[in-house]
Amino acid sequence: MLGLIWAQARDAAGRPVIGAGGTMPWHLPEDLAHFRRVTSGRPVVMGRRTWDSLPPRFRPLPGRTNVVVTRQDGWAPGGAVPDGAPSPADVGTPVRVARSVDDALAVARADAGADGEVWVMGGAQLYAATIERADRCVVTEIDAVVAGDTFAPSVPAGWRADAGEWATSSTGLRFRTVAYLRS
Ligand SMILES: NC(=O)c1ccc[n+]([C@@H]2O[C@H](COP(=O)([O-])OP(=O)(O)OC[C@H]3O[C@@H](n4cnc5c(N)ncnc54)[C@H](OP(=O)(O)O)[C@@H]3O)[C@@H](O)[C@H]2O)c1
């Protein structure tokens, strides 16, 4: 199972914003908890810019293999396990570096459980490169207008949408989760 997971607000033109200036232009702790629940124990695949967007103290994301995609020769985050190396249990959370999206998905699937569940966690370049082969998208919709420079992909036509109830965050933001399933 390949899933894409993101959170989006919207800009003044109604476009689905996922990022601004290399970060997410909102603070929604409930969404971070939701992201952790969905992806814990599952490999996550991200573009190098999304890796860079994570505060250093929060990366690698614990309890799941982190796969970072980059075209840069020799790029390595601190503590990375070289591509192709075994992932010994005693290294803690493994970070894998892949030079292509196909390699990233193969590396992630090798570390997935029996169900093969893998999550692409952004950003826009990675969503665009993987949505055509995804089985589901789990989207947190945030009811806010923000300025942004990075946008969510379009979910392909015909997918089934399963929308949750709107809730209000401790920060005051309204949000809900919509799961899109390939039919
Ligand atoms: N709202 C959300 O849920 C959410 C989630 C994630 C991220 N974001 C936001 O999204 C923004 C980042 O997204 P982004 O689209 O700019 O960048 P991105 O997709 O995170 O990363 C792009 C980078 O990935 C590498 N890459 C992309 N395609 C590749 C390919 N086919 N083969 C090899 N490497 C490839 C390249 O790295 P190199 O340049 O190193 O070669 C490229 O510069 C940030 O603002 C972040 O906060 C939001």
Side-chain angles (χ1 to χ4, degrees):
M1 197 293 293
L2 181 64
L4 275 52
I5 183 167
W6 71 83
Q8 65 181 51
R10 63 188 183 282
D11 69 7
R15 296 179 297 178
V17 172
I18 65 165
T23 186
M24 288 189 282
W26 53 74
H27 176 58
L28 188 56
E30 293 86 350
D31 184 54
L32 300 178
H34 159 76
F35 174 84
R36 195 165 49 244
R37 277 195 305 277
V38 171
T39 63
S40 280
R42 317 294 193 184
V44 288
V45 176
M46 72 193 91
R48 191 267 311 160
R49 289 189 197 164
T50 291
W51 169 272
D52 284 349
S53 79
L54 300 172
R57 68 185 184 283
F58 291 137
R59 67 191 194 206
L61 298 173
R64 65 219 104 157
T65 296
N66 289 218
V67 184
V68 183
V69 193
T70 177
R71 296 186 180 89
Q72 298 177 52
D73 289 333
W75 185 91
V81 179
D83 196 11
S87 124
D90 62 358
V91 302
T93 301
V95 181
R96 304 289 191 173
V97 179
R99 307 282 172 223
S100 72
V101 172
D102 285 351
D103 283 355
L105 294 178
V107 163
R109 288 191 174 112
D111 267 10
D115 57 8
E117 189 171 324
V118 167
W119 289 91
V120 175
M121 54 166 282
Q125 291 187 27
L126 265 290
Y127 296 137
T130 55
I131 195 164
E132 291 300 335
R133 56 189 118 169
D135 303 293
R136 71 180 56 185
C137 298
V138 173
V139 180
T140 300
E141 293 184 350
I142 301 168
D143 184 20
V145 176
V146 298
D149 55 25
T150 315
F151 300 95
S154 297
V155 176
W159 288 33
R160 184 164 62 83
D162 184 4
E165 297 295 318
W166 287 98
T168 302
S169 164
S170 58
T171 62
L173 287 170
R174 289 179 73 240
F175 67 98
R176 69 172 182 175
T177 302
V178 184
Y180 295 92
L181 305 176
R182 183 187 288 278
S183 10

